[in-house]
Every structure is written in structure tokens, then in C-alpha cells.
Amino acid sequence: MKRIQLVTSLSLLLFSLSAAADDLMSIYEQAVQHDPQYQAAEADYRANQEAKAQGRAPLLPQVNLTGRTGRNTTDYNIYEPNTNREGTSEDYDSSSYSLSLSQTIYRQDYYVQLRQADAQVARAEANFRNARQELMVRVAQRYFTYLGAIDNLGFARAEQKAIEQQLNQTEERFNVGLTAITDVHEARARRDQAEAQTINARNELEVARENLREITGMPHEAIAELDKESPLLRPEPEDIDQWVETALDHSLSLIAAEKSREIAEEEINRARAGHYPTLDLVADHTYTDTDGGGFGAQETEETSIALQLNVPLFSGGLVKSRTREAAARHIQAKEQYIQQRRAIEREIRSAYLSVVSNISQVKAFAQALESSRTALEATEAGFEVGTRTAVDVLNSQRELFRAQRDYAQSRYNYILESFRLKQAAGVLAEQDIQQVNAWLQ
């Protein structure tokens, strides 16, 4: 039994020391800088922030300057009786410029559009903050999946080594007539199975390493392990209903859904504004200079200031159609909000129960691990005195390594479910990453 523990420890230690280990916090910081999914979310956030400026722009003065210069030709067809005189032509230059200014005084759709811009920016902020929290969960999930793959490879190698030792011992006992050939065959079959499991564990480790590299864009040959004495913290507060209330107030995906509903509601008002009159202040200044033409060389300058009123009378039913469309979109957004609200409540309750359950599972698997160690020691002692077979020893060894894997995985699952609970509630923060990072070694 001591040999098995020593092989396991050395296997994990050599793997961990093969390269400088990265921890959870450093990998998260790398992901913030290099994860394409998060970078795309940040770019989308910056793009949506421009909605406010774009919504305000039509309400500000609009100034335009236009100018032209050209060469003109005028043909004169003059009829004079009893003469052979034909029409004449004249070439001359002309130039002009026009400076115009318009200022919105009343346009209902512009005011609605500005309110929509506020909601759009708020939605974009909620989506971006949610993307940050989702990144934390993705990094933690891939980190502990990678760590679990390292554990599994170490356990598989240790189990393979232990089975090979058991096979050698069984063959020696068979040679002196102390055991049956069936035990030898069983031990050889278990060795072959263990070799296949080691190959599979090595492949899973490579996949887990690549999954982590996908987020950061760089390789991670070794990562910090979870301390055996890491605590099991219960949800705070220990009241599932309070977690639901927190989620309904702070869930970022729910906030984004609410802002989408507000935008859809304002879209109805914007569509209806197609029936409303518009009023603008319009000012123009035009200058024209010509050196020929029908009136000879002349220079003109004109300035006008006016109030421009537009009253829509009939648009072929377009405004009413757009209003009906907007009303239907609003119902869609409202139902999506209700669905998101229910989904958040379900996620919170499920995550809370999973955290509490995982704490119990970790304790149960820890006890099962101790029981498996004791059982293996008893089986090995019985094998030495002939009361247990080699198959019994192999079965006990398998149960021990299975218990080791289950215990390690349950600790990782506990941390991940804790993250998912806080992310669903909208309260996951970098401090949670730092807290878990302090549990690594």
C-alpha cells in the first residue's frame, strides 16, 4: 500500500515540476487579454456605447456647405426674316456656394430614439459585464478540467504500476503453486485495461491542455494544484430564497432582457411618431457669380430663415403597419424577459442545491477514500495469508483509484458550482477568483 501511495505522489510531483506552474489568477488575467470571445464582447460593448451620441446627433444643429463651379455654354436660336443669320452661342463661367443650417424644434421620433439609445447602452453594459463573469466561469471550468486530467493521468499511471507489481507477485505465487492460473490471467487482463486507461488519460490531458490554450492563446504545461486542506464554504447567505431575490435584482442577463423589453416598448412610440407633425428651423445663405448668360454678368446673394412645418397626411398605411409590427416585437421581448426571469430562478435554485450537495459529496468521497485504503490494506493482508485472491486485490486497487478520482473531481465540482451560483446571481467578481487562487499550491 505504501508503494502505491509513493508511486502516485511521485507521478504527480514530477508532472507538476516539469514546468513553472501557472495559477488560476494568472491564467484568468491572460484570458482577459487574449480570449477572442471576450475581446469580441468588449468590441461590441464599445460599438453600442456610440448609440448615445448617434441618438443625440439629430437633435443638434445640422450645417452643410455645398459649392460648385463650372463652364457653361448657352445657344441662342434667333430668327430674323430676310437674313441668313443663324443662332449664336456664348461660353461663360459660373460659381456658387450655399450654406444651410437646420435645427430640429419638434420631432417625436428623435426623442424616442434618444431614450432607446440610453436603454441600448445600458443593455450593452449588462451584456459586457455578463461576458466578464462568463469568462471567469469558463477559465475556472477549463482550469479544473485540466487539473482533473492531470490527476487522472497520475492515478492511471499509479494504478498501472500497482497492477504490474500485483501481476509479478501473482505469477511468482503461481510458479510455486500458491495460486491458480485464472488469477494470472485476470491480472494480465487488468494490466492491459490499465494500459488502455493510461493512454486514454494521456489523450484527455492533451485535449484539456488545448482547451485551456484556446482561451489564453499560450501553452500551459503545468498548473498549480488545489491544496488538500482547501475549505468547503457554504453559500452565504444560507437561504435559497434570498439568492433568488439577489438574482432577480442583479442578474446581468435579466437586466439585459429588461432593457431589450424597454427598447421594444419605445419602438412602438417611435413607429406612432410617423403620424406626428415635425417642425424645424431652416436657414440658407446662397451666393452665385456668373460672368455671362442671358442676363449678362451678375452676382447674387440670398439669405433666408424659415420655420418648416411638415404634417404627414397619408403614407399608404406604412405607419400603422410599422406600429403593429413594433407592438408584436414588444410582446416578443416581454415574453423573452419572463422566460429569462424564470430561467434565472431555476438556475439559482439548481446551483444553490448543487453547491450544498457537492459539499456533502466531498465529505462522503473523502470518507470513501479512507475506507478504500483500509479495504485494500485488509485485502492485501488476506492475500498474503491465502484467504483472499489476486482478483480481490485487483478489485480493491481499482476501488481505491476510483475513490481518489471521485474525491478530486468532487472538490473541483464544488468550486465550479459555487462560481455558477454567483454568476447566475450576477455577483461573481475577481475577488472570487483570488479567493480560490489562494487555495492553490
Side-chain angles (χ1 to χ4, degrees):
M1 179 58 195
K2 291 181 179 179
R3 289 197 302 270
I4 296 174
Q5 291 178 330
L6 180 61
V7 170
T8 303
S9 300
L10 287 176
S11 177
L12 294 174
L13 181 60
L14 289 174
F15 192 93
S16 300
L17 294 179
S18 61
D22 296 321
D23 58 20
L24 181 62
M25 193 66 195
S26 64
I27 291 178
Y28 166 70
E29 291 172 345
Q30 293 168 9
V32 170
Q33 297 296 323
H34 303 290
D35 177 53
Q37 184 174 333
Y38 177 74
Q39 294 299 318
E42 184 176 9
D44 181 70
Y45 170 60
R46 293 198 305 268
N48 278 282
Q49 281 185 309
E50 298 301 322
K52 183 69 174 180
Q54 294 172 13
R56 187 188 303 113
L59 296 172
L60 299 177
Q62 309 294 308
V63 181
N64 294 286
L65 175 64
T66 59
R68 65 178 299 275
T69 183
R71 182 71 172 171
N72 306 283
T73 298
T74 302
D75 293 325
Y76 300 99
N77 295 318
I78 304 174
Y79 175 73
E80 295 185 9
N82 302 319
T83 68
N84 292 325
R85 183 178 179 182
E86 297 180 354
T88 62
S89 64
E90 179 183 8
D91 295 329
Y92 62 95
D93 297 323
S94 68
S95 61
S96 65
Y97 73 84
S98 176
L99 180 64
S100 63
L101 178 146
S102 64
Q103 171 62 59
T104 295
I105 297 178
Y106 177 77
R107 284 183 179 261
Q108 179 64 20
D109 56 334
Y110 287 177
Y111 302 138
V112 174
Q113 192 171 312
L114 185 59
R115 294 197 298 269
Q116 285 180 310
D118 289 333
Q120 185 176 342
V121 171
R123 181 180 62 182
E125 181 180 359
N127 284 332
F128 177 58
R129 290 172 57 198
N130 191 48
R132 185 74 168 235
Q133 293 190 5
E134 287 178 346
L135 177 64
M136 296 178 192
V137 174
R138 283 193 295 119
V139 168
Q141 181 177 2
R142 298 196 184 192
Y143 184 94
F144 288 109
T145 297
Y146 184 24
L147 200 55
I150 294 174
D151 291 342
N152 288 342
L153 179 58
F155 296 147
R157 286 173 172 171
E159 183 177 10
Q160 182 180 1
K161 185 66 175 181
I163 291 175
E164 288 176 351
Q165 293 175 349
Q166 185 63 37
L167 173 59
N168 294 334
Q169 188 175 3
T170 302
E171 289 176 338
E172 292 174 358
R173 291 174 66 86
F174 171 74
N175 291 334
V176 296
L178 295 179
T179 189
I181 188 62
T182 55
D183 286 351
V184 176
H185 292 327
E186 180 67 22
R188 288 174 180 172
R190 293 290 181 88
R191 179 198 59 189
D192 295 339
Q193 292 175 359
E195 183 177 357
Q197 291 174 355
T198 300
I199 295 173
N200 184 62
R202 187 181 299 112
N203 180 68
E204 290 180 350
L205 176 60
E206 292 300 324
V207 172
R209 180 186 291 117
E210 287 303 310
N211 287 339
L212 191 58
R213 186 188 66 82
E214 181 184 11
I215 295 181
T216 63
M218 55 192 67
H220 303 280
E221 296 301 327
I223 58 177
E225 299 178 5
L226 186 62
D227 193 331
K228 290 182 173 60
E229 302 301 324
S230 61
L232 298 173
L233 305 177
R234 298 185 68 83
E236 180 61 36
E238 290 190 57
D239 186 338
I240 193 170
D241 291 328
Q242 290 188 31
W243 276 96
V244 171
E245 291 179 5
T246 299
L248 295 180
D249 290 337
H250 298 92
S251 170
L252 297 171
S253 58
L254 190 60
I255 291 174
E258 168 63 17
K259 294 303 176 182
S260 294
R261 188 197 63 78
E262 291 180 8
I263 293 171
E265 184 177 14
E266 290 290 358
E267 186 63 22
I268 300 176
N269 297 326
R270 194 166 79 93
R272 287 173 179 166
H275 287 306
Y276 298 171
T278 62
L279 182 63
D280 300 298
L281 174 66
V282 179
D284 292 287
H285 177 77
T286 303
Y287 171 81
T288 304
D289 181 21
T290 60
D291 59 5
F295 298 98
Q298 61 179 340
E299 183 177 344
T300 62
E301 193 168 357
E302 181 180 358
T303 301
S304 67
I305 300 177
L307 288 175
Q308 181 172 296
L309 176 67
N310 179 47
V311 180
L313 298 178
F314 181 68
S315 58
L318 179 62
V319 174
K320 289 184 177 180
S321 176
R322 287 177 174 173
T323 302
R324 290 194 299 269
E325 178 188 1
R329 298 295 184 191
H330 176 239
I331 294 174
Q332 178 188 24
K334 183 170 64 175
E335 293 300 324
Q336 289 174 341
Y337 170 78
I338 294 174
Q339 190 278 330
Q340 186 64 39
R341 184 183 178 94
R342 293 176 181 176
I344 287 297
E345 184 172 353
R346 172 186 54 79
E347 290 175 8
I348 285 293
R349 294 186 182 277
S350 176
Y352 181 92
L353 295 175
S354 294
V355 172
V356 174
S357 174
N358 284 334
I359 292 175
S360 300
Q361 285 183 358
V362 172
K363 295 178 180 179
F365 282 131
Q367 184 61 45
L369 179 58
E370 292 301 319
S371 299
S372 296
R373 287 196 179 103
T374 302
L376 177 58
E377 292 173 356
T379 303
E380 287 179 330
F383 178 73
E384 293 294 336
V385 299
T387 60
R388 304 300 292 270
T389 66
V391 175
D392 295 331
V393 175
L394 293 172
N395 289 336
S396 294
Q397 288 175 346
R398 172 175 291 180
E399 290 301 317
L400 173 61
F401 290 112
R402 182 178 299 170
Q404 289 176 324
R405 284 193 293 267
D406 291 343
Y407 174 63
Q409 190 60 51
S410 67
R411 297 169 71 215
Y412 304 150
N413 289 340
Y414 156 73
I415 295 174
L416 291 176
E417 287 300 329
S418 298
F419 275 23
R420 293 189 181 103
L421 173 61
K422 292 183 177 181
Q423 194 264 335
V427 296
L428 184 63
E430 290 187 2
Q431 288 80 355
D432 298 298
I433 295 281
Q434 293 171 347
Q435 181 183 49
V436 172
N437 199 67
W439 301 346
L440 303 177
Q441 61 179 4

